[in-house]
Amino acid sequence: MAREHAVEYADLLGGDPDRLRQRRQPEVWSPLEYACHVRDVLLAQRERVLAARRTDNPPATLMGRDERVEHDGYAEQDPTDVARQIRDAAALFANVLERLGDADWERTLMFAYPEQQKRSLRWLALHTLHELRHHLLDMHRQLDS
């Protein structure tokens, strides 16, 4: 499903770059910023899966989602590059999930957000797919109106 969602993101990122960069409200990310966030979520989650396979119950380090918007210049990135990067990140994430054995799905990490809690790789995979779908809807809300 991550790969399928990545295609949807790439399609949306094929639109007018100025419109993709536009924030409708100052506190709401632009469609391009949401797409960059999704790319980084996929990469961060992949690393978390790999860490959980190497170590028992590792911490899931916060990715600094809000800081990345400015620190990585999300709004200035090329939508074509971001579309390709999302497809690549989705493929990398899907690959590590496809390599999990039955017992691996129950391996855990310690997530600090929104509160400290132990989570399984099964939860991580489902949560990541939820994030992909949720942010596609965020992008559609802005681009379809």
Side-chain angles (χ1 to χ4, degrees):
M1 290 180 75
R3 288 184 183 104
E4 292 170 15
H5 286 328
V7 171
E8 292 181 65
Y9 278 98
D11 288 347
L12 289 175
L13 289 167
D16 175 18
D18 290 333
R19 190 155 183 236
L20 290 167
R21 288 184 172 88
Q22 182 181 15
R23 283 190 174 195
R24 293 258 173 124
Q25 299 171 358
E27 69 281 355
V28 177
W29 290 346
S30 70
L32 179 57
E33 290 168 327
Y34 276 118
C36 290
H37 169 68
V38 164
R39 173 203 56 211
D40 290 351
V41 163
L42 286 163
L43 294 172
Q45 297 294 62
R46 175 183 182 261
E47 290 305 313
R48 290 170 176 167
V49 170
L50 292 169
R53 293 204 60 199
R54 286 190 312 271
T55 309
D56 290 334
N57 205 34
T61 305
L62 294 174
M63 63 180 281
R65 67 180 191 166
D66 293 321
E67 296 83 3
R68 285 175 183 250
V69 176
E70 180 183 334
H71 295 174
D72 198 24
Y74 281 3
E76 291 83 39
Q77 294 188 25
D78 182 327
T80 303
D81 291 341
V82 175
R84 185 190 71 255
Q85 293 161 357
I86 286 176
R87 286 190 306 268
D88 291 345
L92 290 166
F93 178 66
N95 178 63
V96 297
L97 293 183
E98 290 166 353
R99 301 178 67 76
L100 295 176
D102 291 341
D104 294 325
W105 288 99
E106 300 312 316
R107 293 190 63 81
T108 58
L109 299 96
M110 284 303 294
F111 276 80
Y113 182 85
E115 60 188 37
Q116 185 102 359
Q117 191 166 8
K118 190 182 291 191
R119 299 288 190 169
S120 71
L121 291 183
R122 183 177 316 283
W123 177 90
L124 180 144
L126 292 172
H127 178 72
T128 304
L129 290 175
H130 165 81
E131 284 287 304
L132 295 179
R133 189 75 197 140
H134 174 78
H135 292 314
L136 266 176
L137 294 174
D138 290 330
M139 290 176 69
H140 273 293
R141 277 189 207 102
Q142 293 185 53
L143 295 171
D144 295 346
S145 59

